[in-house]
Amino acid sequence: VNGFVETWYDQSGNGNDATQTTATKQPKIVNSGSLLTDGILFGANINLPLSGTGLDVLKNVAHGNVFSVLKPLVTGTGNGRYFGASINGGTTARFLFADSQATNASFRIGGRSLDGDSFTDLEGTTTHSNAVSLLTGFINYGTKTATLFLNGSQIDTSTLANMTAGNTSDTSSNNVAIGDFVSSGSNTSDFNAKEIIFFNTDKSSDRANIESNIANHYGITLS
């Protein structure tokens, strides 16, 4: 029958496992006896939160870089979240990687460096289709710059005008999660995930090599 994921183990060696103990909020990995080949399925109110030191991954850092192998299921605009961190348990995202709210079948990245900053984001303008794809998003908090990449190609970059240049606030996030990180769980996710890699250091010089390795492993054609 059906199988669900309680813990997605951190492969970095830092022990930041993503764990969901509430059965009704766990993503699905087996459906009617068959493994989901496109990755773990995150739907409405589904997430895998981090805890402990995982809540510090965006504390006093200059970068938030995420590489992901996802099959987005949204064809229009949406508020589905792939990965993010909030600073008060609500919608005040310090880091957000999610569906686009402005362009059909695209994605976005945003956040705030200081807890008191206003949220600002970069909305992708390129369609990702609904195939398994390599979605990459970078925020450089020091330069207030956000950049999106799709299957190895840069598709958008912009200055995040509302952000204060410099490291993020020296405070822990209240919620960090794969899927919907908002504590109320009010937003849908709607994607399959094969892999999500997050760095809080600058990976711009390593990006092409990292993406090439990921693409080779999953059979993704880089553009």
Side-chain angles (χ1 to χ4, degrees):
V1 336
N2 297 324
F4 300 86
V5 174
E6 179 175 339
T7 300
W8 197 347
Y9 291 98
D10 176 15
Q11 301 299 303
S12 72
N14 294 313
N16 292 322
D17 302 332
T19 300
Q20 177 55 266
T21 57
T22 302
T24 57
K25 294 186 176 183
Q26 293 169 355
K28 182 181 285 190
I29 192 171
V30 173
N31 185 60
S32 299
S34 297
L35 181 69
L36 296 175
T37 57
D38 289 330
I40 301 169
L41 177 61
F42 289 77
N45 302 329
I46 301 299
N47 67 3
L48 288 171
L50 278 68
S51 60
T53 57
L55 300 179
D56 296 334
V57 295
L58 281 154
K59 175 182 178 180
N60 193 25
V61 297
H63 297 275
N65 299 168
V66 61
F67 298 81
S68 66
V69 180
L70 306 179
K71 180 183 179 181
L73 302 177
V74 172
T75 56
T77 58
N79 199 28
R81 285 152 176 170
Y82 306 143
F83 178 82
S86 69
I87 58 175
N88 68 0
T91 58
T92 52
R94 176 173 285 171
F95 183 89
L96 173 70
F97 191 56
D99 289 322
S100 173
Q101 293 181 304
T103 305
N104 287 346
S106 189
F107 60 113
R108 62 184 172 131
I109 190 167
R112 67 195 78 211
S113 52
L114 301 183
D115 293 350
D117 285 349
S118 297
F119 176 82
T120 184
D121 67 354
L122 168 64
E123 298 274 353
T125 57
T126 300
T127 300
H128 53 49
S129 81
N130 297 103
V132 174
S133 303
L134 174 53
L135 309 183
T136 303
F138 282 11
I139 291 182
N140 182 329
Y141 293 99
T143 61
K144 308 195 301 181
T145 305
T147 312
L148 293 173
F149 305 86
L150 175 60
N151 293 330
S153 292
Q154 180 178 310
I155 58 171
D156 289 287
T157 188
S158 179
T159 298
L160 300 179
N162 295 332
M163 186 176 287
T164 302
N167 283 12
T168 58
S169 292
D170 193 25
T171 56
S172 300
S173 301
N174 294 81
N175 287 278
V176 181
I178 302 168
D180 185 11
F181 59 85
V182 179
S183 57
S184 62
S186 59
N187 294 291
T188 188
S189 295
D190 287 339
F191 66 94
N192 292 84
K194 287 179 175 285
E195 185 161 8
I196 294 179
I197 308 172
F198 182 81
F199 295 96
N200 57 13
T201 54
D202 184 12
K203 291 298 174 183
S204 56
S205 62
D206 300 324
R207 180 189 59 80
N209 288 332
I210 293 171
E211 290 182 326
S212 178
N213 289 338
I214 292 172
N216 289 337
H217 181 76
Y218 291 103
I220 295 171
T221 300
L222 296 180
S223 55

